[in-house]
Amino acid sequence: TQHQHPGAERAIADCVEMVMKRILERVGEPEAIVLTGSFGRAEGGVTQDEAGLYYPVNDIDFIVVDRRNLRNELLRLSEELAREIGSDYIDIGYSDGRWQDLSLTIFNYDLKHGSRVIYGDTTILDRIPAYCEAEIPVFESVNLLLNRTAGVLTGLRGDYLNGHVLSLDEGRYLTNQIVKAYVAIGDYYLVSWQGYDSSYRNRKERFSWLAGGADIPLDLIDHVVKAYEHKLHPDYSCQWNSVQAVRELTDFLIPVLLKAIHKLVGHNSADLPSAMDAFLTTMSANPGWVNEDNNYCTQNPVLGPDIIGLPASNLSFRFVLYSVLPLLLAAGVDRDEANLLIDTIIKKLSNCYRAPKLRSSYIEDWERLRSDVIRWWFALS
């Protein structure tokens, strides 16, 4: 962590040691255990509870590398640890370590440059190609922005739109999702400027240097810098825990998303719905991949029961889902446009989704769609 108190570092180190011990007890000696994510690069967020105990704000991410297929066993272990600890911040992934031909994604870049081996073969990360940040494709920025949009939707509920007062935990969760979205905005610009880095500290520094000359609104610059800082030193006094904070974020997020999609598809769109149509068409351009992925979706135990037949136009169900995320967020924060946006979402989903009977109320309609879409997004994540 970057926390100044040694107790915070000890708390995370003890947790990492405990998980590593449990992994070894469960599966024996793997080729390696990699600590990745923010704690892997010594930038994990830590906060303190009322009893003075330190606990992680971010997930603690492990990857167990072995030629044996340990995926199911490690998933069960993750679930057991979550029940024992009473939290879901332990994420134990699996890889066979065949990393020589990994494509350049932000995740793979961060795995290569922002992780540490805590057990086993200390050279195992050398198998990953030596990526250059200047070559990160624009799709990675679009994908990140859409996933962070989904994250905000996991923290924004229909009853919040009706004036529900958020509890401390609800407010902190929503704050974390808003922070991730502002970080994604900063990361979009850094990828565009060929200056991405796995470190929050370096990203914060580079964005601060470059943003002033890039015609970015000053209040957006301020929010992005604060978001990077929050990832290093969580501060829940920032007041990003309300529907109004989501509205402000959305006013910044949608224009940035439109810029990113313009770069991806090669032309400007008149509005958000047409931009998402262009995104969907572009991402469905490979019929073989679409057919294979749609078959995967129909066999998914969460998605399968809800899918009534994939689009005849060979559109990707995965990217149909992604294409409605920003429309759903916009509908949640703009009552004037909500009904039109909800109709647009239903139309997009109509070929593969048993649409609910709507018009009970704006908020109930929106929440029904939000809960289904987010449940599907989790199933595909």
Side-chain angles (χ1 to χ4, degrees), residues 35 39 50 80 118 123 183 215 229 287 318 336 371:
L35 182 64
F39 290 100
E50 294 178 354
E80 289 173 16
I118 59 173
T123 68
V183 166
D215 196 28
E229 180 61 23
R318 181 183 300 270
D336 293 336
S371 61

Side-chain angles (χ1 to χ4, degrees), residues 59-209:
D59 288 347
I60 306 180
D61 299 298
F62 300 82
I63 296 178
V64 178
V65 183
D66 201 85
R67 292 303 173 93
R68 296 171 292 162
N69 188 344
L70 305 174
R71 191 181 310 278
N72 291 336
E73 196 62 47
L74 293 170
L75 177 60
R76 285 192 289 270
L77 178 58
S78 294
E79 293 170 349
E80 289 173 16
L81 288 171
R83 288 193 296 270
E84 291 174 18
I85 298 171
S87 173
D88 58 356
Y89 61 71
I90 304 297
D91 186 358
I92 308 174
Y94 162 76
S95 174
D96 61 12
R98 296 172 183 171
W99 291 341
Q100 291 84 351
D101 298 319
L102 283 182
S103 60
L104 175 51
T105 65
I106 287 176
F107 177 86
N108 290 339
Y109 181 92
D110 288 346
L111 176 61
K112 169 75 172 181
H113 298 290
S115 303
R116 68 178 70 183
V117 179
I118 59 173
Y119 183 90
D121 182 357
T122 58
T123 68
I124 204 160
L125 295 174
D126 295 341
R127 298 178 185 176
I128 303 174
Y131 302 125
C132 174
E133 64 270 17
E135 297 174 353
I136 296 174
V138 66
F139 167 72
E140 284 297 295
S141 297
V142 176
N143 191 50
L144 181 62
L145 289 165
L146 290 174
N147 277 312
R148 295 313 185 214
T149 299
V152 174
L153 286 167
T154 68
L156 183 67
R157 307 296 178 89
D159 56 348
Y160 297 179
L161 306 180
N162 249 346
H164 168 79
V165 177
L166 276 65
S167 68
L168 178 63
D169 287 343
E170 290 170 338
R172 287 190 169 189
Y173 183 85
L174 183 59
T175 295
N176 289 340
Q177 303 312 313
I178 291 174
V179 165
K180 289 178 181 180
Y182 277 121
V183 166
I185 291 173
D187 291 350
Y188 158 75
Y189 282 110
L190 289 172
V191 169
S192 298
W193 301 332
Q194 301 182 346
Y196 181 81
D197 193 88
S198 61
S199 164
Y200 290 133
R201 288 168 294 174
N202 291 346
R203 278 184 263 167
K204 174 188 170 185
E205 186 175 66
R206 292 179 184 184
F207 183 83
S208 299
W209 287 344

